[in-house]
Amino acid sequence: MNSIANFLFEVGMLSRTPRSGYQFLGSGTESVAEHILRTVFVGYTLCKMDDSLNEMRVLKMCILHDLPEARTGDMNYVNKKYVTVDETKAVKELTDELFFGDDIRSALDEFNARETKESFIARDADQIALILQLKECGDL
């Protein structure tokens, strides 16, 4: 039970982890958790527009795609030019003690591999969520 409690605590950290791209992209503020929530709803909507998609896989990737940021923080495109983040290590250490850790790793691997239709839709949802947030702030 400790590993599950620790996992759920880390998930909570996402609500206190700010998205860093607004330093460069606009005037808004948003936590990683807020971004994930909108990404899930965008992914859900995109799935309803295409019956050939495996909705569960898309939604799982949308929910989990930024989970490593509970440990690494959110790195914007400028940060990534100068800072190397070991997302693999973060995911491994986050999931090693969980009986469902393989499920999380599998979803993140699929998202990052960019090889399946579902991973492309989840990535589209991620980008659309950002665009919607920027539009709300009047930054587009």
Side-chain angles (χ1 to χ4, degrees), residues 67-82:
L67 179 61
E69 293 180 10
R71 289 184 177 224
T72 67
D74 181 48
M75 295 286 147
N76 60 58
Y77 71 98
V78 174
N79 297 145
K80 289 178 182 176
K81 290 174 131 182
Y82 305 100

Side-chain angles (χ1 to χ4, degrees), residues 61-117:
M61 284 186 272
C62 288
I63 291 167
L64 298 171
H65 79 283
D66 281 338
L67 179 61
E69 293 180 10
R71 289 184 177 224
T72 67
D74 181 48
M75 295 286 147
N76 60 58
Y77 71 98
V78 174
N79 297 145
K80 289 178 182 176
K81 290 174 131 182
Y82 305 100
V83 177
T84 301
V85 173
D86 193 343
E87 184 175 306
T88 302
K89 180 180 179 183
V91 171
K92 180 180 178 351
E93 291 179 0
L94 180 80
T95 60
D96 267 355
E97 301 297 317
L98 296 171
F99 69 90
F100 51 90
D102 288 342
D103 188 51
I104 293 171
R105 282 189 297 274
S106 175
L108 289 172
D109 288 346
E110 180 178 358
F111 181 81
N112 290 324
R114 303 174 188 181
E115 294 175 349
T116 64
K117 187 174 182 179

